[in-house]
Amino acid sequence: MRIAVDAMGGDKGPRATVAGAARAVIEDPQLDIQLFGPAGLLDDEISRLPRPLAAAASHLHLCDAPDIIPADMRASQALRRGHASSMARMLDCVAAGEADVGVSSGNTGALMALSRRALGMVPGVPRPAISTAIPTRGDGRCYLLDLGANVDVSAERLVDFALMGDIMARHVDGLAAPRIALLNVGVESTKGSLAVQQADAALRQVAGIDYLGFIEGDGVFAGQADVVVCDGFVGNVLLKASEGLAKMLVGRVQATFEAHWGSRLVGMLARPALRRLKSELDPVRYNGASLLGLAGIVIKSHGSCDAQGFYYALKRASQEVSRDLPSRLEAELDHRRPSSGPLSGGSVDMDDGQQEL
Amino acid sequence: MRIAVDAMGGDKGPRATVAGAARAVIEDPQLDIQLFGPAGLLDDEISRLPRPLAAAASHLHLCDAPDIIPADMRASQALRRGHASSMARMLDCVAAGEADVGVSSGNTGALMALSRRALGMVPGVPRPAISTAIPTRGDGRCYLLDLGANVDVSAERLVDFALMGDIMARHVDGLAAPRIALLNVGVESTKGSLAVQQADAALRQVAGIDYLGFIEGDGVFAGQADVVVCDGFVGNVLLKASEGLAKMLVGRVQATFEAHWGSRLVGMLARPALRRLKSELDPVRYNGASLLGLAGIVIKSHGSCDAQGFYYALKRASQEVSRDLPSRLEAELDHRRPSSGPLSGGSVDMDDGQQEL
């Protein structure tokens, strides 16, 4: 399997991406990874890999790309001026069939716009939707989409998100009948915006999906559904607020134990448990968001992730390749849409207005 | 101070409201509380108050109301058929000037619609906005609004939410210059929906407020702002998802310690710290949401709260009364609106479509 990596994206840059790539290779020697970025800089990073990871070097291939897409560059600018960037060249490599999947921690809006141009879309899908798994009660997980690619969406797009989530959960995660729910401010049919109400009515007409109806915010983490659908504004706020809250709570857990435990012995005993807890709550565990609806496979890694997080994104990438997600979407999406609700052509094309994950 | 209480709202019914009211009276003997509900039932609850709370009985006045607004009743139905309900009679009492404030744990949509009919609105505000304080890092707190009263909002309404939040934080909490932020999917001016972008532009024109610009989901809990403004769909999802996540994380904290700590001694030592932690993370700590923009004062208590939570809602109620929030809103709101952006008259009036808190 060949993975193309934009080595220059994310807050931690090539230090995280190169080490993450090396770790993925060590674990799976079938992997070949093409690293895109300024060749000299990447060469340095590879030569600085510590001993156990250095063995991966023969599977890490340098692909020179002089430019970088800054985190605050608009998607429209990236489309115009980003041709020599590590992100664009990584995507060109996927588009040319020289890699099976592309991975980047960089600017989400730019990645979406450049991916769409380089790879095209599954027929009938106007823009990618972004989806990631979030942890739920009882060690479960749940796909949430959209996470910011589409801030103003029609009922038809919400239905598409539900179908794409269903296809992903079945084929990538092997669930026989994923439970699909639509996020709303109440569970009664009269609640919510017009788009949400129309999408609910349409989803009830779709055969072959386990559609639960509306779900409220507290139901997401309760593990009531395997796929939760919402517009990109709501999904982005939910995901980021959850990251912020988790960080705050972990801080309070630590402070509680530090403030109230006089005994040094108890503090020492608590430390390993707290460490485990912190890693369990770490959102990076599920790092690797899918850009669903592209005619190829692109994984967006969290911008703040470290080598370990980037490694998870690479694992996610190889999972999606082995299940050939875009072909599944293409084969199943169109004929599963409710016949009464054809895709509206009126999707707003304003990449610059989108999210930053 | 006289507080009118809908004693029949909420999952725990009069058991929670009567005991919460008694506790509030014990703490502040200046309080007189009118309890609305079936008189016989409430009388029973009062007679069953345990010893320390029983002393409050002389300040608890029974006001018979035979009917109850069910949690799933539509607002439109409540308007038509709810006249003899505990909620409607409680609001009539406030409207007649026989109480300074009304408090209910009941059906939020019904409470909003009945409050608006009974008390009217501050001039220029078409519908109430719901706001509550949420805990932030470093023991801070932040007002979030709207929480579900308005699911599709214009830029003008978002500006109003910001101004109302500012007035509340200044007068009720005594902040000299509350930091106001608009929730969005990114901090750049090109991000987000049209309404959010227009509201941002308008808020930059308002003199006398400390407007920070956009804030992302993770900034809310980081304590970056004192007032965070968003539409009711987003606010409702954020609040409920946070409740769900907090519950899940507290469960994991407990499970972590139970799973990994072999020593019984350590488990026993950890218990008090875990108990403290649980109460610190309890969302009920800030129970008591304001229905901003009403010409009177009504506090919505969380539907699942117990006596302790209801007591907090009553405390919130007396705080708002002592600062006379509606008069402040009436005096300040109109002339602080940006002159270029008059309130659009096009607010959607569909109470049934709103949230359940």
Side-chain angles (χ1 to χ4, degrees):
Chain A
M1 190 177 303
R2 299 154 307 162
I3 302 182
V5 164
D6 167 14
M8 303 307 293
D11 308 342
K12 301 192 172 63
R15 176 77 34 109
T17 53
V18 171
R23 183 171 161 200
V25 165
I26 297 289
E27 193 176 277
D28 178 3
Q30 304 292 315
L31 278 188
D32 262 301
I33 296 185
Q34 287 143 290
L35 298 167
F36 288 79
L41 208 150
L42 298 183
D43 207 22
D44 279 357
E45 281 302 335
I46 292 175
S47 65
R48 276 152 64 180
L49 284 171
R51 179 60 77 86
L53 293 177
S58 63
H59 291 257
L60 303 177
H61 312 286
L62 297 190
C63 304
D64 191 46
D67 292 352
I68 294 166
I69 305 266
D72 58 353
M73 184 182 261
R74 295 188 182 190
S76 54
Q77 274 189 302
L79 284 168
R80 276 197 303 275
R81 302 189 214 149
H83 292 279
S85 65
S86 55
M87 185 187 284
R89 294 220 170 144
M90 172 276 281
L91 292 166
D92 289 342
C93 170
V94 179
E98 291 159 14
D100 303 301
V101 54
V103 182
S104 175
S105 306
N107 180 323
T108 312
L111 181 64
M112 230 171 50
L114 292 172
S115 298
R116 187 162 61 148
R117 181 170 70 187
L119 304 173
M121 301 297 301
V122 166
V125 181
R127 299 167 51 80
I130 306 179
S131 178
T132 195
I134 57 173
T136 61
R137 216 180 296 169
D139 273 326
R141 47 188 277 168
C142 163
Y143 284 114
L144 187 66
L145 76 161
D146 177 47
L147 296 176
N150 309 270
V151 295
D152 273 316
V153 304
S154 62
E156 286 81 5
R157 294 301 332 272
L158 289 171
V159 171
D160 260 19
F161 296 166
L163 295 176
M164 293 197 294
D166 177 66
I167 293 167
M168 177 165 62
R170 280 191 295 115
H171 293 296
V172 179
D173 300 83
L175 298 182
R179 297 161 301 158
I180 316 288
L182 196 55
L183 193 59
N184 200 359
V185 297
V187 294
E188 303 84 1
S189 63
T190 55
K191 300 276 183 183
S193 63
L194 193 63
V196 161
Q197 289 184 26
Q198 289 174 339
D200 175 61
L203 282 167
R204 294 183 184 282
Q205 307 305 315
V206 177
I209 63 168
D210 184 9
Y211 175 61
L212 307 178
F214 293 138
I215 194 171
E216 295 185 67
D218 49 349
V220 176
F221 290 102
Q224 293 172 2
D226 301 305
V227 175
V228 171
V229 172
C230 58
D231 77 44
F233 197 108
V234 172
N236 189 273
V237 165
L238 196 167
L239 185 72
K240 286 182 186 162
S242 303
E243 287 175 10
L245 177 59
K247 206 181 272 183
M248 179 184 96
L249 295 185
V250 169
R252 290 215 176 166
V253 171
Q254 285 189 306
T256 296
F257 282 98
E258 282 161 18
H260 297 288
W261 287 29
S263 148
R264 235 176 139 164
L265 171 71
V266 175
M268 273 168 60
L269 290 167
R271 217 165 291 147
L274 284 175
R275 223 182 353 250
R276 260 189 304 269
L277 183 71
K278 230 174 154 175
S279 88
E280 273 189 62
L281 300 182
D282 189 353
V284 159
R285 268 204 313 161
Y286 291 117
N287 188 34
S290 313
L291 268 58
L292 284 171
L294 286 173
I297 309 179
V298 175
I299 298 293
K300 166 70 175 91
S301 165
H302 200 293
S304 70
C305 77
D306 57 9
Q308 175 75 1
F310 199 74
Y311 158 82
Y312 282 118
L314 293 169
K315 267 183 70 167
R316 173 83 207 172
S318 72
Q319 248 184 326
E320 290 199 12
V321 171
S322 64
R323 314 300 158 97
D324 195 6
L325 191 55
S327 302
R328 306 285 188 171
L329 290 175
E330 188 160 349
E332 298 186 29
L333 194 52
D334 201 43
H335 69 86
R336 297 183 71 206
R337 289 191 179 107
S339 52
S340 56
L343 244 199
S344 87
S347 91
V348 189
D349 200 321
M350 45 170 231
D351 285 319
D352 280 343
Q354 313 312 323
Q355 81 322 318
E356 199 47 59
L357 279 184
Chain B
M1 191 177 302
R2 298 156 309 163
I3 303 183
V5 164
D6 167 15
M8 303 307 293
D11 308 342
K12 300 192 173 64
R15 176 78 33 107
T17 54
V18 171
R23 184 172 160 201
V25 165
I26 297 289
E27 193 175 277
D28 178 3
Q30 303 293 315
L31 278 188
D32 262 301
I33 297 185
Q34 287 143 289
L35 297 168
F36 288 81
L41 209 151
L42 297 183
D43 208 22
D44 279 359
E45 280 301 336
I46 291 176
S47 65
R48 276 152 64 180
L49 283 172
R51 179 60 75 84
L53 293 178
S58 63
H59 291 258
L60 302 177
H61 311 285
L62 297 191
C63 305
D64 190 47
D67 292 354
I68 294 166
I69 305 266
D72 58 353
M73 184 182 260
R74 293 191 185 189
S76 54
Q77 274 190 301
L79 284 169
R80 277 197 303 275
R81 302 189 214 149
H83 292 278
S85 66
S86 56
M87 187 187 283
R89 295 221 169 144
M90 172 276 282
L91 291 165
D92 289 342
C93 169
V94 178
E98 292 160 12
D100 303 303
V101 54
V103 182
S104 175
S105 306
N107 181 322
T108 312
L111 182 63
M112 229 172 48
L114 292 173
S115 298
R116 187 163 61 149
R117 181 171 69 187
L119 304 173
M121 300 298 300
V122 165
V125 181
R127 296 169 52 80
I130 306 178
S131 177
T132 195
I134 57 172
T136 62
R137 214 179 297 168
D139 272 327
R141 49 189 275 168
C142 163
Y143 284 115
L144 187 66
L145 76 161
D146 177 45
L147 295 177
N150 309 269
V151 296
D152 272 315
V153 303
S154 62
E156 285 81 6
R157 295 300 334 270
L158 290 171
V159 171
D160 260 19
F161 297 167
L163 295 177
M164 292 197 294
D166 177 66
I167 293 168
M168 177 164 62
R170 279 191 295 116
H171 293 296
V172 179
D173 300 84
L175 298 182
R179 297 161 302 159
I180 315 288
L182 196 54
L183 193 59
N184 200 359
V185 297
V187 293
E188 303 84 1
S189 62
T190 55
K191 300 276 182 183
S193 63
L194 194 62
V196 161
Q197 290 184 27
Q198 289 174 340
D200 175 61
L203 283 167
R204 294 184 186 280
Q205 307 305 315
V206 177
I209 64 167
D210 184 9
Y211 175 61
L212 306 178
F214 292 139
I215 194 172
E216 296 185 66
D218 49 350
V220 176
F221 290 102
Q224 292 172 3
D226 301 304
V227 176
V228 171
V229 171
C230 58
D231 76 47
F233 197 108
V234 173
N236 189 273
V237 166
L238 196 167
L239 185 72
K240 287 182 184 160
S242 302
E243 287 175 12
L245 177 59
K247 207 180 269 182
M248 179 184 96
L249 295 184
V250 170
R252 290 217 175 165
V253 171
Q254 285 189 307
T256 298
F257 282 99
E258 283 162 17
H260 297 289
W261 286 29
S263 149
R264 235 176 141 160
L265 171 71
V266 176
M268 273 166 60
L269 289 167
R271 218 164 290 148
L274 284 174
R275 223 180 354 248
R276 258 189 304 268
L277 184 71
K278 230 174 157 175
S279 88
E280 274 189 62
L281 299 182
D282 189 353
V284 160
R285 267 205 312 160
Y286 291 117
N287 187 35
S290 313
L291 267 59
L292 284 172
L294 286 174
I297 310 178
V298 174
I299 298 294
K300 167 71 174 89
S301 166
H302 201 293
S304 70
C305 76
D306 57 10
Q308 175 75 2
F310 199 73
Y311 158 80
Y312 282 119
L314 293 170
K315 267 183 68 167
R316 173 83 206 171
S318 71
Q319 249 184 323
E320 291 199 12
V321 171
S322 64
R323 312 303 158 95
D324 195 8
L325 191 55
S327 302
R328 306 286 190 173
L329 290 174
E330 189 162 346
E332 297 186 29
L333 194 53
D334 201 43
H335 70 86
R336 297 182 72 206
R337 288 190 180 109
S339 52
S340 56
L343 246 199
S344 87
S347 92
V348 189
D349 201 320
M350 43 172 234
D351 286 318
D352 280 344
Q354 311 313 322
Q355 81 321 320
E356 201 46 58
L357 276 184

